[in-house]
Amino acid sequence: MHPIQKDSVNPPATLLSLQLQYFAIFREQAGKRSEVLLSSATTAAELYAELQQRYGFELTTSQTKAAINNEFCDWDRQLKSGDAVAFIPPVAGG
Amino acid sequence: MPGAFSFCDTPIDPAALQATLNHPAAGGFVAFEGRVRNHNEGQTVVQLEYEAFPELAIKEGLLIMDEAMQRFAIIGAACIHRVGLLEIGDMAIWVGVSAAHRDAAFSACRYIIDEIKQRVPIWKKEHYASGDSGWINCETRTRTRSE
């Protein structure tokens, strides 16, 4: 392991270990039901943007909801390591 | 009697569910059954697939049942939603409400099915006679070709 370098201009980003679950169209587009992801995202919105880049999710944040640890949450919700995160595409039960 | 909300992956048995809502004070009972329809937006539907996020869906579903119990003068309410692959005519959801009088039973049943459709994380993929398929409300502009 390298010692942490002091760099006041660009401090090293802290990577969070997140447990992702994918459902429906997101499961198909990601090609998996779940994964552990190391991410520098700090909020649910930043993480969703990262997944849009990675997997080509086309739904916008106004069409999608975020859930952390099995509870709906706001898009500006701060992430912490170990969080279980899922994004909820438009629902169609009934 | 608290409101009940659950999932199943086998055919729904309405009689068993209705029995859980029997009560001597219930002068009315209303049920809604949602079934798989053979068409949607001009396409012939051959099969339908439901998927849920169980932990969150049960939580949100129970919240809706509680809201119905608070808002309407009802005695009991129950809902079950089926997941997995369903055929035309299969029952996808059953909602039942018992109440002293019919007005509250009809209103609560309507409230429950409407809120479930809006809020509970359940998704529906239609498979069409053309070979196409699509996640409803997720990809109205582009249809993905099924394997």
Side-chain angles (χ1 to χ4, degrees), chain A residues 7-76:
Chain A
D7 184 344
S8 57
V9 182
N10 291 308
T14 311
L15 291 180
L16 300 178
S17 172
L18 303 167
Q19 180 69 49
L20 273 291
Q21 265 188 295
Y22 301 107
F23 296 100
I25 193 168
F26 290 155
R27 172 176 53 73
E28 290 185 351
Q29 290 176 343
K32 59 190 86 171
R33 291 180 181 279
S34 63
E35 68 181 326
V36 174
L37 196 70
L38 293 174
S39 172
S40 59
T42 62
T43 63
E46 284 180 26
L47 178 62
Y48 186 68
E50 185 182 323
L51 295 177
Q52 284 186 300
Q53 287 286 320
R54 182 184 286 234
Y55 297 121
F57 295 166
E58 289 175 356
L59 292 165
T60 64
T61 52
S62 62
Q63 295 172 294
T64 308
K65 287 183 178 169
I68 294 180
N69 303 328
N70 299 334
E71 301 273 4
F72 286 115
C73 69
D74 293 331
W75 282 107
D76 60 4

Side-chain angles (χ1 to χ4, degrees), chain B residues 6 8 12 21-22 26-27 29-30 39 48 69 73-74 86 95 102 109 112 117 122 126 142 144:
Chain B
S6 59
C8 64
I12 293 171
L21 298 173
N22 286 343
F29 171 82
V30 168
H39 66 278
L48 213 149
M69 297 296 293
I74 59 176
L86 277 70
V95 181
R102 67 186 183 284
C109 191
I112 291 166
K117 280 176 168 283
I122 302 166
E126 287 181 338
T142 56
T144 54

Side-chain angles (χ1 to χ4, degrees), chain A residues 21-25 27-28 33 58-59 65 67 69-72 86-94, chain B residues 49-53 55-56 59-60 81 93 113 117-125 135-139:
Chain A
Q21 265 188 295
Y22 301 107
F23 296 100
I25 193 168
R27 172 176 53 73
E28 290 185 351
R33 291 180 181 279
E58 289 175 356
L59 292 165
K65 287 183 178 169
N69 303 328
N70 299 334
E71 301 273 4
F72 286 115
F87 294 103
I88 314 294
V91 303
Chain B
E49 201 179 324
Y50 281 100
E51 177 175 341
F53 176 179
E55 294 84 356
L56 187 54
K59 222 177 257 187
E60 193 70 9
H81 201 299
I93 188 170
I113 183 64
K117 280 176 168 283
Q118 292 288 322
R119 291 162 51 186
V120 178
I122 302 166
W123 301 277
K124 174 161 65 179
K125 187 180 193 179
W135 289 100
I136 300 308
N137 300 337
C138 294
E139 44 187 352

Side-chain angles (χ1 to χ4, degrees), chain B residues 8-13 82-83 91:
Chain B
C8 64
D9 56 9
T10 53
I12 293 171
D13 177 2
R82 188 172 165 190
V83 291
M91 198 186 303

